[in-house]
Amino acid sequence: MTFRLGPDFGRLIRRFSPEPQAPLAVAVSGGSDSAALLHLCAEWANRSGYKLLVLTVDHQLRSASAAEANGVAQLAETLGAAHQTLVWDTPRAGQNAARDARHRL
């Protein structure tokens, strides 16, 4: 089964990123919802001529976080997208601190 993002998605992206040569950035944590978003965005980008840049934040709060970011990098490569891991170098516990760090990164 193939799922596709429709023309409304394309219009929305072009509103904020009108130049196809500039990469469209999408944040992917590695969870199932963001992995699904990555699949959809990669398919759309390939059909639309946009380059896709996948960003993953390694909060360094869990021992598995680097491996999870690497898994996202591998998925991005499989889908033909560039990937960059952003590392939070001053990790602190707490959802608010982590969210603030993601926004800064």
Side-chain angles (χ1 to χ4, degrees):
M1 182 179 291
T2 300
F3 296 97
R4 297 182 186 270
L5 295 173
D8 290 339
F9 182 78
R11 281 192 291 276
L12 179 66
I13 294 303
R14 283 187 280 284
R15 179 177 168 197
F16 294 103
S17 183
E19 300 297 327
Q21 62 272 19
L24 171 64
V26 61
V28 177
S29 68
S32 58
D33 56 343
S34 66
L37 175 66
L38 173 54
H39 278 276
L40 289 168
C41 287
E43 182 180 325
W44 179 87
N46 288 334
R47 287 188 293 119
S48 302
Y50 272 74
K51 301 279 188 220
L52 189 61
L53 172 61
V54 180
L55 302 171
T56 303
V57 175
D58 178 358
H59 293 91
Q60 299 190 74
L61 295 173
R62 295 178 295 102
S63 60
S65 64
E68 291 166 353
N70 188 51
V72 174
Q74 291 175 7
L75 176 58
E77 182 179 347
T78 299
L79 296 172
H83 179 270
Q84 182 177 354
T85 298
L86 308 172
V87 179
W88 186 18
D89 57 2
T90 55
R92 295 186 325 271
Q95 291 297 318
N96 288 337
R99 183 176 34 260
D100 289 346
R102 285 192 300 275
H103 291 175
R104 279 192 309 276
L105 289 169

